[in-house]
Amino acid sequence: MKMQTYEEAIDWINSRLKFGIKPGLERMEWMMKKLGSPEKKLKVIHIGGTNGKGSTVTYLRSILNEAGYRVGTFTSPYIETFNERISVNGQPITDEEIIQLVNSIQPFVEEIETTNLGSLTEFEVITVMAIYYFAYMNPMDMTIFEVGLGGRLDSTNILQPILSIITNIGMDHVNILGHTVAEIAFEKAGIIKNEIPVITGAKQKEALEVIKNKSKDMNAKLFISKDDFKVENIRTLHRGEQFTFSYSNGQYQNLVINMLGKHQIENAILAIGAAIFLHIDEPMIREGLKKAFWPGRMEVLSEHPFVIVDGAHNPEGINSLINTLQEHFPYKKKKMIFAALSDKELTNMIQPLAKLDAEVYFTEFDFPRAASAEQLFSLHLLPQAKVNKNWKKLLEEMFNALEENEMLIISGSLYFISNVKLFFKEFTQI
């Protein structure tokens, strides 16, 4: 039955959540064959890793836009609207296009269920939608696809890119990807293709060893950020970072990014490396970096009172958040609202918060995998920590009581940040 409304289309996509996570490419291969091999029509940059994928996508997309490219991006999760996951030049596709996409692929999704391959998951469906859209409905000069989970068996790994990027490697999704850095790196390195260049921001010796070996096996030229690119003259700006970037053929002095945190420099470096590979000139790189913005990452929601949101959803993200807050806002008294998913490395996320000297409120939100406020509270080592299950009421109260020397940080799951941003818009406009 054809979808008539956007709500029907989204409900149909969300109905796939019941099929969970099913690593493997067999269903994607079947779908691509049925749809006429749309994946072969795309010019793709494929980005995997643990943290920084979304920011790296944003920096690179912004640079490519400055160079005159029409760029399609596939990212997850979304922050404000589902349509963000499939975007053109940073703008989400329309509700009408979502309806059209669902109607185009639905018959094949139903057909595969009659085979021994079984049902497509929600993420597989959305990946198919993105590939179909950029191949047939709105062809792009370039597309950037962000890996959903891992890499080797992720549905996006059906793609044949012109360049692969692997950001840093951290301990995330350990129950699926492995319990050591090397095991996780093996899954991430699965996106490395035969004779396709790779850029990586991985730092750990074990992760780099895996990535080097895989690149060698695939005869793929490897660029290692910490070895092949040099960063110096780093300065913390009021609302961003400044740095000088050097590589074998030149130097770009005093580049500026407007996303906060030293870790954002690491993400920007990967995008610069990709831009150099694509022969993009320095002025476009410089301007693209400056204009790049990624919602939900050290994003200022309000200046007076001062409120920021940051989707720090694993131990590496938490450490980056703590460092950024200490660098940029050392004199602000800090208050935090925190919620996370139960399948994360919660102990290693929550215990480092003790370094912040913040008043932390643990809360919970309506999401299938969300941890309870009590579960989060039970892991803390903070001198000032409280439980408040009603995050909406808590946010309103804290917002209205916040003083000039204080700041409110709302952090944890990106799904939580998505809820917060929508609610924040509502209650600040009343």
Side-chain angles (χ1 to χ4, degrees):
M1 188 177 76
K2 281 212 165 192
M3 305 293 164
Q4 302 297 323
T5 68
Y6 175 74
E7 289 71 27
E8 285 176 341
I10 295 297
D11 285 347
W12 180 79
I13 294 166
N14 289 339
S15 73
R16 319 301 301 176
L17 284 166
K18 64 178 177 279
F19 300 116
I21 297 168
K22 299 196 289 188
L25 294 175
E26 301 88 352
R27 290 172 300 280
M28 289 298 295
E29 288 165 351
W30 188 96
M31 288 293 291
M32 293 299 102
K33 192 174 178 183
K34 283 286 182 176
L35 292 169
S37 301
E39 80 283 7
K40 292 179 181 175
K41 301 179 188 298
L42 305 181
K43 198 171 184 181
V44 179
I45 295 169
H46 200 190
I47 301 184
T50 303
N51 290 81
K53 296 190 295 291
S55 298
T56 305
V57 169
T58 302
Y59 286 124
L60 184 52
R61 191 266 305 156
S62 186
I63 291 168
L64 289 168
N65 285 162
E66 285 300 309
Y69 288 84
R70 290 186 76 242
V71 185
T73 53
F74 175 68
T75 57
S76 60
Y78 65 88
I79 297 296
E80 291 184 36
T81 169
F82 174 88
N83 305 31
E84 291 168 27
R85 299 183 76 164
I86 306 171
S87 293
V88 175
N89 292 343
Q91 297 303 307
I93 65 172
T94 66
D95 293 357
E96 291 71 26
E97 287 172 315
I98 293 285
I99 298 167
Q100 188 180 341
L101 272 172
V102 167
N103 284 328
S104 297
I105 71 164
Q106 185 188 17
F108 301 101
V109 174
E110 291 175 350
E111 185 182 345
I112 196 174
E113 291 177 340
T114 66
T115 74
N116 59 5
L117 293 172
S119 303
L120 262 67
T121 66
E122 182 224 25
F123 189 77
E124 286 172 331
V125 162
I126 303 167
T127 307
V128 172
M129 287 169 60
I131 294 170
Y132 187 95
Y133 180 81
F134 295 133
Y136 297 134
M137 287 174 58
N138 195 356
M140 298 284 116
D141 300 321
M142 190 78 71
T143 59
I144 308 172
F145 274 70
E146 180 188 323
V147 169
L149 176 63
R152 183 174 65 94
L153 300 175
D154 185 76
S155 60
T156 62
N157 210 25
I158 198 77
L159 299 163
Q160 289 296 320
I162 60 167
L163 175 69
S164 303
I165 299 175
I166 301 172
T167 66
N168 78 339
I169 305 291
M171 301 300 288
D172 203 3
H173 300 290
V174 292
N175 293 330
I176 299 170
L177 301 180
H179 292 272
T180 67
V181 167
E183 286 174 346
I184 293 171
F186 173 77
E187 295 299 328
K188 307 287 186 185
I191 69 170
I192 298 173
K193 302 293 194 304
N194 191 45
E195 297 187 346
I196 303 300
V198 191
I199 302 172
T200 185
K203 301 187 200 73
Q204 305 99 319
K205 185 181 175 184
E206 311 95 300
L208 279 173
E209 198 65 32
V210 171
I211 293 168
K212 283 177 182 175
N213 289 338
K214 180 68 174 179
S215 300
K216 189 177 178 183
D217 291 345
M218 302 304 285
N219 196 26
K221 187 168 177 57
L222 176 63
F223 299 90
I224 299 170
S225 179
K226 72 181 185 68
D227 296 336
D228 294 304
F229 310 133
K230 187 179 179 185
V231 177
E232 53 195 349
N233 303 329
I234 295 172
R235 279 185 60 210
T236 296
L237 306 178
H238 176 59
R239 285 287 186 272
E241 314 292 337
Q242 181 178 294
F243 61 98
T244 293
F245 172 93
S246 306
Y247 70 113
S248 58
N249 291 342
Q251 184 180 78
Y252 305 152
Q253 293 187 1
N254 301 327
L255 296 170
V256 172
I257 56 174
N258 288 313
M259 290 199 265
L260 302 180
K262 296 287 196 307
H263 61 290
Q264 288 296 357
I265 296 176
E266 296 174 11
N267 300 327
I269 290 166
L270 298 175
I272 296 167
I276 290 168
F277 169 79
L278 296 167
H279 306 294
I280 293 172
D281 294 334
E282 180 187 343
M284 286 106 170
I285 292 173
R286 188 174 292 277
E287 198 60 26
L289 290 176
K290 198 183 291 184
K291 289 181 178 176
F293 167 72
W294 188 233
R297 276 71 169 185
M298 290 303 296
E299 180 183 358
V300 178
L301 292 189
S302 167
E303 289 280 0
H304 304 286
F306 191 48
V307 180
I308 66 167
V309 291
D310 186 68
H313 57 279
N314 55 31
E316 291 74 22
I318 290 289
N319 286 324
S320 294
L321 169 63
I322 292 166
N323 292 336
T324 304
L325 290 171
Q326 289 171 339
E327 285 163 6
H328 281 268
F329 312 106
Y331 306 114
K332 288 273 189 187
K333 185 179 177 185
K334 297 168 184 69
K335 299 186 175 184
M336 178 182 282
I337 300 173
F338 185 88
L341 301 184
S342 58
D343 55 1
K344 295 289 182 174
E345 290 274 291
L346 293 177
T347 301
N348 293 331
M349 289 171 66
I350 290 167
Q351 293 189 353
L353 292 175
K355 299 175 195 170
L356 257 188
D357 188 27
E359 185 180 323
V360 178
Y361 291 79
F362 292 107
T363 192
E364 58 195 51
F365 65 112
D366 186 17
F367 190 78
R369 294 170 13 234
S372 70
E374 286 91 350
Q375 183 184 356
L376 300 175
F377 181 80
S378 70
L379 300 170
H380 85 85
L381 299 174
L382 295 146
Q384 301 180 78
K386 297 171 185 173
V387 166
N388 190 319
K389 295 185 178 185
N390 189 341
W391 67 265
K392 291 182 179 179
K393 187 177 178 187
L394 174 65
L395 176 52
E396 281 195 70
E397 289 173 354
M398 292 183 78
F399 180 84
N400 292 323
L402 214 58
E403 297 180 1
E404 191 58 36
N405 68 328
E406 297 178 326
M407 68 182 296
L408 175 60
I409 307 118
I410 304 157
S411 188
S413 165
L414 282 166
Y415 295 100
F416 178 53
I417 299 304
S418 175
N419 280 288
V420 167
K421 285 196 68 175
L422 287 171
F423 176 70
F424 194 84
K425 270 186 178 177
E426 290 170 15
F427 95 78
T428 54
Q429 288 173 359
I430 294 170

